[in-house]
Amino acid sequence: MITVRITDTSLHVSGHAGCAPAGQDIVCAAVSALYNTATLNLLALSDEGVCAVAYDPAPGKAWVAATPVRGREADVKQVLDIIGRGLRTMAEQYSDFVQMA
């Protein structure tokens, strides 16, 4: 089971879906793609001076966190809101494999 915890400034993904053998698990792949998209978008904001970003993409325990500069909180929140919609949809469609914390 993958557990997802998302806030206005961070995303934590832990566990493994176990939907299929490693390398063939579409649920893991989809969650990983959304995590990577969040991380890349937050890093792009960091390059623009919008926030500072820390992350660890460790399999089974990945996280990314952003510290926005004053007045740019909405930019970080927007990225995580969009990714959160995708992850909530995954949790609804694949509830045996993904849960929102």
Side-chain angles (χ1 to χ4, degrees):
M1 172 76 69
I2 294 174
T3 300
V4 176
R5 185 170 44 92
I6 193 163
T7 71
D8 288 348
T9 58
S10 68
L11 168 62
H12 299 260
V13 179
S14 61
H16 297 282
C19 179
Q24 299 175 12
D25 195 323
I26 63 168
V27 176
C28 276
V31 171
S32 294
L34 288 167
Y35 166 82
N36 288 331
T37 301
T39 301
L40 291 171
N41 277 276
L42 291 173
L43 287 170
L45 289 178
S46 176
D47 290 345
E48 296 171 13
V50 172
C51 60
V53 176
Y55 67 99
D56 184 352
K61 203 164 190 164
W63 61 271
V64 59
T67 304
V69 298
R70 183 179 207 109
R72 300 304 298 266
E73 297 86 358
D75 296 307
V76 170
K77 185 177 182 316
Q78 182 179 29
V79 168
L80 292 168
D81 281 350
I82 291 167
I83 297 302
R85 282 188 212 124
L87 290 165
R88 280 187 290 283
T89 299
M90 290 292 304
E92 291 168 7
Q93 292 178 348
Y94 297 95
S95 60
D96 289 343
F97 306 105
V98 181
Q99 70 178 2
M100 301 298 291

